[in-house]
Amino acid sequence: MQRLLVALLAAFDAAIAAAVGLVVLLAPLTLLWTVAFGVTADWGALWPLTGTLWEFGHGVPLTITIPDALLVALAIPPAAANFVVSITPLAFLLFTLLFAARSGSRAAKAGAWLLGSLTGAAVFTLISVGVALSARLEAAQTPLSPAIILPAAVYLVGVLCGAVRVTWDDGDGGLLDRLHDWFDAREDWAPVPAAIVRGAAFALVGVAGASALALAVTILLRGGEVVALFQAARVDALGATVMTLAQLAYLPTMLVWTAAWLAGPGFAVGAATAVSPAGTQLGVVPGIPVFGLLPENSSIWMLIVVLIPVAAGAFAGWAVRSRLVWEGTPLGVLQRAVIAVGIAALTAGIGGLAAALANGSMGPGRLAVVGPAVYPFALALGAEVLVGAAILLLSPRNRDELAEERTDRWIAEMTELDPNAVVIAGEASGAPSAGVSTADDTAPLDDVRGFLAPPRDRAEPRD
């Protein structure tokens, strides 16, 4: 019965995740639809638009077809009548990913992570099928197979990540436990997988935080350009609201662009353009207000920003190394080198995936190339994180780490000699309390507190 309950809850989570994502789109669109067209509007087009935008938010490309009447009215060249928009507004994708991870962790805590993950993914797939078949627009079409597969894949990845994270620590009595035991049997390598994942998380958080800070500073410095582009668009309150909401949905995408700029390769805003710390080369760009944040020029000295991903890697290395010392599991040079390489590889892989979703086409002609290049960004980010992580992980251990290791080794040796030994705080004279035996009544005391001092390394200087 418990497994059935877990499956039902996982299915409910998947339905809620899809429903919330659709309602977040449907509610403002309904309001805008009413304000723009009144109660006599064609409400039959509202759901197809909502479903199409929901699919687009999960990485499904849109094929835009401009009607002939609008081509003539706006004097648009016939060659620009059909184009693809494939740059994903990552806000919707991140919501689904995080909601799925929460559902997966709940299923894992209930002891049925695989059943819960597969059930949730299956329900989300059914919802994706329903949306893909019912939400079809002539002016903005999505390919059927990606419209079904990509949203379901996003949810499946999220739910598996959440489930495996919990199950790796708590156990599942099955495949993951056998894999965990296989690593535990190799004591020198047992902490490596968890350290790689933990370090990559720290590195990604560091890069994302630095990107958010850089974007906020840019908004403060160039906010006037954004306002000027809003005014130049000559839109009413309804149009300004639509533009603002659309740009907010692209906020995580802009963070990926900022991370690409910090890493060095930068990004493009059209064919034969480049925005990077080494220099900015722009032609005519669309009058979208957010493009007012683009720098007009750059100095070669701006390349110093590539130290920020290096610092993020160093932060990850420090966090991993501190955790290993705190757990009392100092590793050899080879294991620490593998951890550093693993952190860099995982960070580069996730960064490359984000870049693949944040680049593509946003219009006809030269606007078919927009966003960061995937491989240069992934390689640069991985290399910079590797440098920072390797500096912290491969540097010689300091005196505090060595002293802590010697203390742990001494305690282990004393425990083997006399497991029942008790070391207590003594009087100022150093005498043990009455009625309590110690490992050695004649053992020297480190100070008046009565703690037995571990053997010292003769080569280590005294404080």
Side-chain angles (χ1 to χ4, degrees):
M1 182 61 183
Q2 183 183 6
R3 295 176 66 84
L4 178 60
L5 182 61
V6 171
L8 291 175
L9 290 176
F12 183 73
D13 283 342
I16 290 296
V20 170
L22 289 167
V23 168
V24 165
L25 281 167
L26 184 61
L29 283 177
T30 302
L31 180 61
L32 295 173
W33 210 267
T34 304
V35 173
F37 304 109
V39 294
T40 60
D42 181 13
W43 295 97
L46 185 59
W47 166 250
L49 179 60
T50 301
T52 299
L53 292 178
W54 183 79
E55 294 166 354
F56 179 54
H58 289 85
V60 182
L62 295 178
T63 300
I64 307 297
T65 302
I66 302 177
D68 294 337
L70 193 58
L71 286 177
V72 175
L74 299 178
I76 299 175
N82 292 278
F83 57 89
V84 175
V85 178
S86 57
I87 298 178
T88 304
L90 293 177
F92 298 102
L93 187 147
L94 287 176
F95 169 79
T96 300
L97 200 66
L98 294 176
F99 205 103
R102 177 177 175 272
S103 177
S105 63
R106 289 174 58 183
K109 291 176 182 178
W113 70 273
L114 187 58
L115 175 64
S117 300
L118 295 180
T119 302
V123 171
F124 202 87
T125 302
L126 291 177
I127 296 174
S128 299
V129 172
V131 173
L133 293 178
S134 62
R136 309 297 295 175
L137 286 175
E138 293 295 331
Q141 297 181 358
T142 56
L144 184 60
S145 296
I148 296 173
I149 295 173
L150 290 180
V154 171
Y155 192 89
L156 179 61
V157 169
V159 74
L160 287 178
C161 288
V164 171
R165 181 190 64 82
V166 174
T167 307
W168 185 262
D169 293 333
D170 298 345
D172 67 338
L175 176 62
L176 289 181
D177 268 355
R178 289 195 293 270
L179 183 61
H180 200 291
D181 293 341
W182 185 84
F183 277 103
D184 285 344
R186 295 153 178 79
E187 296 182 0
D188 292 341
W189 294 96
V192 170
I196 290 175
V197 175
R198 186 180 300 113
F202 276 103
L204 290 169
V205 168
V207 172
S211 301
L213 180 61
L215 183 60
V217 172
T218 305
I219 292 174
L220 290 176
L221 296 178
R222 297 187 59 84
E225 298 293 333
V226 176
V227 174
L229 287 175
F230 262 112
Q231 295 173 343
R234 299 184 181 276
V235 294
D236 56 9
L238 180 61
T241 302
V242 173
M243 294 176 66
T244 301
L245 292 176
Q247 291 173 109
L248 287 176
Y250 274 97
L251 183 59
T253 307
M254 290 186 283
L255 290 179
V256 178
W257 290 15
T258 307
W261 189 85
L262 293 177
F267 56 92
V269 192
T273 65
V275 180
S276 71
T280 299
Q281 181 181 353
L282 291 174
V284 179
V285 298
I288 302 174
V290 72
F291 284 162
L293 300 177
L294 297 175
E296 296 179 355
N297 50 55
S298 299
S299 169
I300 192 67
W301 295 102
M302 291 299 295
L303 282 172
I304 196 172
V305 298
V306 301
L307 294 178
I308 293 177
V310 175
F315 174 59
W318 170 82
V320 170
R321 181 166 180 164
S322 299
R323 180 64 177 263
L324 292 174
V325 172
W326 180 77
E327 291 178 343
T329 54
L331 300 177
V333 175
L334 179 59
Q335 288 83 359
R336 285 181 281 154
V338 170
I339 292 174
V341 173
I343 291 173
L346 188 56
T347 304
I350 296 176
L353 180 60
L357 293 170
N359 81 342
S361 172
M362 64 175 300
R366 61 193 300 269
L367 292 180
V369 181
V370 178
V374 176
Y375 294 112
F377 172 52
L379 290 175
L381 181 64
E384 290 155 6
V385 168
L386 177 61
V387 170
I391 290 174
L392 267 293
L393 285 171
L394 299 181
S395 60
R397 289 183 289 175
N398 57 39
R399 190 175 66 175
D400 292 339
E401 292 184 40
L402 294 174
E404 186 171 352
E405 182 181 351
R406 284 196 300 271
T407 302
D408 293 339
R409 186 169 59 248
W410 174 79
I411 292 175
E413 293 174 354
M414 294 298 295
T415 304
E416 291 178 1
L417 291 175
D418 187 0
N420 298 320
V422 179
V423 180
I424 64 172
E427 304 292 339
S429 61
S433 300
V436 181
S437 63
T438 63
D440 186 359
D441 291 340
T442 62
L445 298 176
D446 185 60
D447 54 23
V448 296
R449 293 173 297 177
F451 288 101
L452 196 60
R456 295 184 56 88
D457 186 350
R458 297 179 180 273
E460 178 184 354
R462 290 183 177 271
D463 294 330

